[in-house]
Amino acid sequence: MIKNDEMESIMKVFCKTVTVPAKKQFLELGDMLDGVYYIASGRTKHYILEEGGAEKILYSLSAGWFFGETPVFLGEPTGLISEAMEPSILWKIPYSAFNRLVDDSKPFRAAVINCMSRKMLILRHEIEHLVFTPCKQRILRLLCSTADTNSCEDDGWYNLLTHYTQYEISTIVGSARVTTSKLINELCNEGFIRILNRQMQISKRAYKEFLNQ
């Protein structure tokens, strides 16, 4: 998401700042929210757990995203667990102020609708990927979605704006960690990705093929 300075200046006066250290869970499944959160800096993940303890990430959100707006609008408890993936600063907007801003501020309302629409698309694409797309292709699409196309290393490799661990990749694409590790090795051998200094890069060729699908 692109941060909107005008919108931030409007909402900041109503917010309470919440500082969350890395790997800290700050919302549990079933919590009732009395406000909506905005990520001022950092990165968070929002996931569900199956009975066996396996984790499935639905969203990984960075600065500029809202979350918690759906349960607040519906008056229902959150259905996700929320955790900071890195040190994060969150702005918590009280329910009354959030509703007032949605009614009175066009930039704020547009930002909230944009955020909700993008998350809806994420979930729609997730369903499409799980139903129609092989796991290796899902991994490649995930990496392409975070490619930094503004800089190209060695005339053929893009860095990633978001650096995932293999565990995070497996939970996002819905595969076992050992399967993810095997498929990442295959993508490396096929020249679609490479790993330098423990950081993944994706080939310009693979990115172009992804765009042309």
Side-chain angles (χ1 to χ4, degrees):
M1 293 286 286
I2 299 175
K3 296 187 71 175
N4 184 315
D5 292 337
E6 179 186 3
M7 186 272 297
E8 285 193 354
S9 65
I10 292 171
M11 61 182 279
K12 190 173 182 180
V13 296
F14 299 99
C15 297
K16 174 184 177 182
T17 299
V18 180
T19 302
V20 186
K23 299 184 179 180
K24 170 71 174 180
Q25 290 183 8
F26 55 89
L27 288 177
E28 297 286 348
L29 180 69
D31 282 351
M32 291 297 298
L33 276 61
D34 57 359
V36 174
Y37 290 84
Y38 176 81
I39 305 174
S41 66
R43 188 159 66 104
T44 62
K45 66 177 180 179
H46 309 267
Y47 59 96
I48 54 178
L49 292 175
E50 69 167 10
E51 291 183 1
E55 180 182 303
K56 173 58 183 168
I57 296 177
L58 298 186
Y59 311 113
S60 175
L61 307 178
S62 55
W65 284 86
F66 292 92
F67 63 90
E69 66 274 27
T70 299
V72 164
F73 273 133
L74 297 177
E76 297 182 356
T78 179
L80 303 176
I81 301 168
S82 297
E83 179 179 324
M85 302 179 76
E86 58 188 54
S88 302
I89 297 176
L90 312 177
W91 293 352
K92 184 178 179 182
I93 315 164
Y95 175 76
S96 58
F98 179 78
N99 277 344
R100 186 162 63 253
L101 287 170
V102 168
D103 287 339
D104 298 340
S105 171
K106 184 176 180 179
F108 184 84
R109 181 168 59 252
V112 171
I113 292 173
N114 181 274
C115 182
M116 295 183 72
S117 299
R118 288 181 179 273
K119 284 193 283 190
M120 186 181 298
L121 283 177
I122 290 172
L123 292 180
R124 193 191 77 186
H125 291 322
E126 175 72 7
I127 293 171
E128 291 174 349
H129 293 169
L130 291 174
V131 174
F132 300 117
T133 309
C135 188
K136 182 165 37 174
Q137 190 68 6
R138 296 204 298 272
I139 293 173
L140 192 59
R141 288 186 177 183
L142 171 67
L143 299 179
C144 283
S145 70
T146 63
D148 181 5
T149 57
N150 292 320
S151 64
C152 194
E153 302 284 340
D154 302 330
D155 290 329
W157 298 91
Y158 292 135
N159 291 315
L160 302 183
L161 294 170
T162 301
H163 296 289
Y164 297 105
T165 66
Q166 290 192 9
Y167 173 74
E168 290 170 348
I169 292 173
S170 66
T171 59
I172 291 171
V173 303
S175 71
R177 187 171 180 176
V178 64
T179 301
T180 297
S181 178
K182 177 183 176 182
L183 294 176
I184 286 174
N185 287 335
E186 288 183 10
L187 289 169
C188 286
N189 293 334
E190 294 166 1
F192 288 112
I193 64 174
R194 69 179 184 179
I195 301 175
L196 291 178
N197 299 321
R198 299 184 179 181
Q199 303 292 341
M200 285 188 196
Q201 295 178 325
I202 188 160
S203 76
K204 190 174 181 180
R205 170 176 63 90
Y207 182 80
K208 288 184 175 181
E209 290 178 359
F210 168 74
L211 289 183
N212 292 328
Q213 290 179 356

